[in-house]
Each structure stands twice: as structure tokens, then as C-alpha cells.
Amino acid sequence: RGTNLTLDGTGDAVPIAAALLLVERHGVKDILFPEGFHAASPYHATALRSVFRFTIPCCSLTDALLARHTSQRALERRWEDFLERGLLPKLRAGVSVPEGTESTVEVLYDGSGIMSLEVLEALAHDMVFAVLSALFVIGYMVFHTQSVLLSCVGLLIALLSVPLAYLTCAIFGASS
């Protein structure tokens, strides 16, 4: 007797025993369940992981090397665009729960390109503060020195002092 399951999240729940059997049969227990999980007491689990793998064919081995690189770069751009505009905003929005109930679900995520994208976003955010800080320092120096030229040159000398000291030590240190 066959049964059809539509795994879209809106149908009937799969019995826990069947879900555990599928997890064991496909060998993904270590991926989905936390360390120390026991199938004998599944309701005591405090964490559950999901794994999604996307396989997108980009080209054929018979394609020219340049065509394969071009296709791969186009797919990487599409993936980054999907992450930035589609997936990450939804993951950051979190889980919506009905009013009056307390959420105990915390969504943690990781994947190809996510960390580098988040680092770039953090750097772009911090660059605003760096620029505002430099403008404040220049404004303060202009107020005290009454000279835009002296203020800009003074800030430039202060910023270049560390790389210049490193370069000087590298040149003279290597010659001895």
C-alpha cells in the first residue's frame, strides 16, 4: 500500500517514529540532531538542524573553458543576489509567532558566501562611522588651527605614520 506525502509544511505531520526512521536510513542523524541526541527520547531534544543543498548545473564538460568560467561567474552572481535580496532578509526576519505566545525558536544559519556578505555589510556600516569620525576630527582641527590645509595635512601625516614606520623598519631591518 503506497502513501503520498506532500512535504510542503501545510499538510499532516509525519509521525515522529517515521521521521526518525527516515533520518537513520539516510544517514543524516549527525547533521540534523545535536550531539547526545537519543532516538528513544526524541521529545527531549532542545535543538534541530535543517540542511539544504542546492545543486545547479552550470555547464557541460564539452563546453569551452572560457564558457564554463563565464557560466560559473554568472551563477555566483545570481547566488549572491539571491542571498542578498531574497534569503538573508527572510532569515533575519526570524520566525513569526501568533500574538500572546512566546517563541522558543531561534534560527541560526550558515552557508556559502553568507559570512563574507555579512562581513562586507558590517564593513560598509562601519565605514560610515569612520568617515563621520574623520570629518569631526578635521572640523575640530580646522576650528583650532584656523587652516584647512594644516588640518588635512596633519590628519594625513597621522594616518600615514604607521605604514611609513612599518616600511622604514622593513627596509632597514632587511639590510642588516
Side-chain angles (χ1 to χ4, degrees):
R1 177 180 108 118
T3 303
N4 290 332
L5 288 175
T6 304
L7 302 176
D8 60 1
T10 60
D12 295 329
V14 176
I16 192 77
L20 289 172
L21 181 65
L22 282 170
V23 166
E24 292 271 345
R25 186 170 290 163
H26 289 284
V28 292
K29 180 181 169 196
D30 293 337
I31 296 172
L32 294 177
F33 296 116
E35 197 174 295
F37 174 80
H38 300 291
S41 56
Y43 296 105
H44 291 65
T46 58
L48 176 66
R49 292 186 286 269
S50 296
V51 177
F52 299 97
R53 294 187 178 128
F54 302 104
T55 304
I56 305 170
C58 75
C59 47
S60 169
L61 286 175
T62 59
D63 294 343
L65 186 61
L66 181 63
R68 287 189 293 194
H69 283 296
T70 304
S71 179
Q72 183 179 358
R73 296 291 177 252
L75 278 175
E76 287 172 357
R77 284 191 299 273
R78 283 181 58 203
W79 172 249
E80 289 170 4
D81 186 56
F82 169 68
L83 277 179
E84 193 172 345
R85 299 185 204 291
L87 186 60
L88 282 179
K90 291 190 184 336
L91 288 173
R92 288 176 179 153
V95 179
S96 61
V97 293
E99 294 256 348
T101 59
E102 188 175 321
S103 173
T104 57
V105 177
E106 183 179 2
V107 179
L108 305 174
Y109 51 89
D110 190 18
S112 300
I114 291 179
M115 182 177 284
S116 61
L117 186 62
E118 288 182 332
V119 166
L120 286 175
E121 287 176 356
L123 284 173
H125 184 263
D126 291 347
M127 284 299 286
V128 172
F129 292 117
V131 168
L132 290 174
S133 175
L135 289 175
F136 175 77
V137 169
I138 288 174
Y140 188 79
M141 290 173 64
V142 167
F143 176 74
H144 281 286
T145 62
Q146 303 291 313
S147 171
V148 176
L149 180 66
L150 281 177
S151 300
C152 291
V153 170
L155 187 60
L156 184 66
I157 289 172
L159 291 175
L160 292 178
S161 64
V162 173
L164 186 61
Y166 176 78
L167 185 64
T168 304
C169 289
I171 289 172
F172 292 120
S175 64
S176 58

